[in-house]
Amino acid sequence: CEFRSSDSTSHLILRNLQEFDMKYLTALLQNDVLTTSNLERCALEHGYGPLAPCSFHASASEQKQLCPNWHRYADGTLARGLLNRSSNCKTKFTIYTPNDISICPRIVILSQGPHSHPDPFPVKTPPPVVELLDSLLLELDWKLADATPHKILLDSGFIIGLRRHLRWTEISDPSLSDLHPSLGNADRVRRHILQLRKLYFPKGTGFEGAQLLAEQHKALPAAAQYVRCAEIHNIEDGKKFELIICMSHDMSKHLLMTAHLSIDTSFKRVYGKWQEFEMESWDVHYKKSVISARAFTTSQSAAAHLVLFTRIFDIAQADTGLPVQFYHIHGHRFRTWIADAHKGQALGAGRFCQKLCEALDGFCSLESVRRPLRDLTPYDHLRRFLWLCTIHFKRNIHEIRKFISPEVAAAMYSLSSSQMHDIEKAFEIINAGGPKARAWLKDKLDAKFVLPAIYQPRSLIPLEVWLASPPTTNGNEQGHRNIMRDGIGLTLLGGIMRGLQHDFRIMVGLLLQQTFGIHSR
């Protein structure tokens, strides 16, 4: 359809050429009057075509002006028929209403005389049915942010309410058309949902709605707070990015008590420009992957990640009273951070550590040369705590396997190791392995943090810490998978609320295990 676009996908009309009479269509486009006339008369003999009588009718409430069928007019014009309002019906209605309808909520309608037209289609939804539909939709609460005509029929709470109002006893679930035939039109239902959504979410379901939610959470008790900020920050070159941080007080405590942290970003759960960032750790005591901080951002730059880490740890410190500490700086807490090879994430983390050391007078204990902590560069800091996910590293090699030899692949894999070996020899083999191999190695060496983060002899992370750390971001991937079961392509507000429900369930499970010794699995 000419009105179809990425923002209006409902205007979709698909046709195959096989569905058309190509001989007639060709004659019509070439203005071959003789051929079109013969074909139209032939169609008339079989009861169809632009010369055939039309019996189409529509209710006045449908507000249609044109017939969907094409007609050949007396002057030879081919066009859709015009609908005329008919007023020949002689039926009369007598309506009796009580003096006080609140005492007697009934009216009587008497119809006298036959109708001169077919019964109109029930295309208009009666106001009482609209009120009932709205009441069922309002019971969805925050789920209304992502409600669609299809999704509401998959919601067990909505279906239970619909069954109750219809007194439904069939094995199959009722549909909205069982409430009223007009609700079988998905566009009509969608319009009701959108109208109700505007009333329920006055600031919308995007960033402004998230800002309103953050203000509302500030007024909640400390244990119930989750949406901690919804802010716009200025970064380099006058660029701005939006940031939303979601974490409870229990999540803050868990974040600052972990030793090995995993960070990763997901791009599927929230629709549009938003990326979802997670900080995750494996709880050894409870044997569970726990998300300690969740954020939604519109930038992946190093400057944006510096703001992201700063705000997350500011909130965590305010919640717990505990300082953020890195083992190579303070001798406590964070031993390793596991991440993929994202340059913005890594450099942002290094700058955050550099910021922590601005007012410190100490020296790094992981290096034989006593270097003041305040003199360390972001890449110096990364060499002391960052470890790249081995799964991501090997996956990138697997993707170019068709362009390299087994010997070159083996040399690439050898770079991810805790054992010292002839790494220069591996470089020589890779450089001789063709353009794809050279480009792969150049990318790893140009990003100054990558090699120390995969090859322990080039890192300053102690070997015993390296071996004790989780080698992958699989915990984050599990976290992404768990939360995506609740839906992907969501509105920002819907994504936030789905995250709230998921993260609070995890914290309740940890408390249950701590209090009663009941494991979730």
Side-chain angles (χ1 to χ4, degrees), residues 372-434:
L373 288 168
R374 66 162 66 102
D375 292 344
L376 297 180
T377 68
Y379 293 108
D380 290 331
H381 281 287
L382 294 177
R383 193 180 172 197
R384 289 155 169 79
F385 74 93
L386 185 68
W387 191 8
L388 294 192
C389 171
T390 57
I391 297 296
H392 283 83
F393 175 76
K394 294 177 180 178
R395 183 187 301 159
N396 291 335
I397 300 174
H398 184 73
E399 289 174 354
I400 61 171
R401 67 191 184 281
K402 295 181 180 179
F403 307 97
I404 59 177
S405 67
E407 182 186 13
V408 172
M412 290 177 173
Y413 285 124
S414 73
L415 299 187
S416 177
S417 174
S418 61
Q419 304 294 324
M420 182 174 291
H421 60 85
D422 190 353
I423 195 170
E424 296 299 331
K425 179 64 175 178
F427 290 164
E428 292 177 6
I429 295 174
I430 296 171
N431 275 321

Side-chain angles (χ1 to χ4, degrees), residues 85-368:
R85 183 181 291 272
S86 175
S87 57
N88 297 326
C89 184
K90 304 299 183 180
T91 302
K92 294 183 178 180
F93 293 96
T94 305
I95 303 175
Y96 298 90
T97 60
N99 293 327
D100 190 343
I101 200 166
S102 61
I103 297 176
C104 179
R106 297 288 187 274
I107 63 174
V108 176
I109 300 177
L110 298 180
S111 174
Q112 295 176 317
H115 292 278
S116 61
H117 54 81
D119 293 338
F121 297 125
V123 296
K124 188 173 182 179
T125 311
V129 177
V130 174
E131 292 178 6
L132 176 57
L133 175 62
D134 289 349
S135 69
L136 292 173
L137 291 173
L138 286 174
E139 290 179 2
L140 294 175
D141 196 29
W142 57 266
K143 296 179 185 177
L144 186 63
D146 290 295
T148 66
H150 175 69
K151 287 182 179 179
I152 60 177
L153 296 179
L154 301 178
D155 186 275
S156 58
F158 183 87
I159 289 298
I160 288 173
L162 188 60
R163 277 179 168 272
R164 182 175 63 250
H165 285 290
L166 294 175
R167 298 179 181 178
W168 194 263
T169 59
E170 301 293 331
I171 296 177
S172 61
D173 287 333
S175 63
L176 290 176
S177 60
D178 294 306
L179 194 59
H180 190 270
S182 63
L183 297 180
N185 184 287
D187 291 333
R188 180 183 296 271
V189 178
R190 185 178 291 106
R191 186 176 71 250
H192 283 298
I193 293 174
L194 293 177
Q195 291 174 346
L196 205 59
R197 188 180 295 163
K198 290 179 180 179
L199 296 176
Y200 198 81
F201 303 106
K203 294 291 186 179
T205 58
F207 182 68
E208 291 185 357
Q211 287 181 311
L212 177 61
L213 193 59
E215 290 298 320
Q216 293 172 344
H217 278 221
K218 288 180 181 178
L220 297 176
Q225 294 177 4
Y226 181 74
V227 185
R228 313 307 296 277
C229 73
E231 305 164 340
I232 299 177
H233 292 273
N234 294 313
I235 49 178
E236 69 272 2
D237 301 329
K239 295 180 181 179
K240 297 181 178 180
F241 84 100
E242 296 161 325
L243 174 65
I244 300 163
I245 295 177
C246 304
M247 55 193 300
S248 66
H249 283 239
D250 289 338
M251 293 167 69
S252 294
K253 183 178 179 181
H254 197 277
L255 173 63
L256 294 182
M257 294 298 290
T258 190
H260 303 285
L261 192 68
S262 172
I263 61 175
D264 196 21
T265 301
S266 169
F267 300 87
K268 294 182 180 180
R269 206 163 70 84
V270 175
Y271 176 78
K273 62 183 179 180
W274 294 95
Q275 301 104 42
E276 183 178 23
F277 174 83
E278 292 178 348
M279 304 184 85
E280 178 272 345
S281 63
W282 178 258
D283 194 306
V284 178
H285 180 68
Y286 297 112
K287 303 294 187 296
K288 185 184 290 289
S289 172
V290 179
I291 302 298
S292 300
R294 189 184 301 277
F296 298 90
T297 178
T298 57
S299 175
Q300 291 288 300
S301 68
H305 277 92
L306 173 59
V307 175
L308 169 66
F309 293 131
T310 301
R311 292 295 292 122
I312 286 177
F313 285 109
D314 283 347
I315 293 170
Q317 289 182 91
D319 287 347
T320 63
L322 299 173
V324 54
Q325 295 180 323
F326 285 77
Y327 184 79
H328 75 279
I329 300 175
H330 309 93
H332 300 284
R333 298 289 183 251
F334 293 129
R335 297 290 187 101
T336 59
W337 280 22
I338 305 91
D340 57 21
H342 192 285
K343 297 178 182 179
Q345 278 185 6
L347 187 54
R351 290 179 180 178
F352 176 71
C353 288
Q354 191 179 38
K355 183 178 179 181
L356 289 178
C357 296
E358 288 176 348
L360 298 181
D361 296 325
F363 298 87
C364 177
S365 62
L366 299 180
E367 200 170 11
S368 57

Side-chain angles (χ1 to χ4, degrees), residues 50-51 66 70-83:
L51 299 179
L66 297 175
W70 291 80
H71 299 275
R72 181 70 69 179
Y73 287 85
D75 60 358
T77 303
L78 182 66
R80 292 172 63 185
L82 294 175
L83 298 181

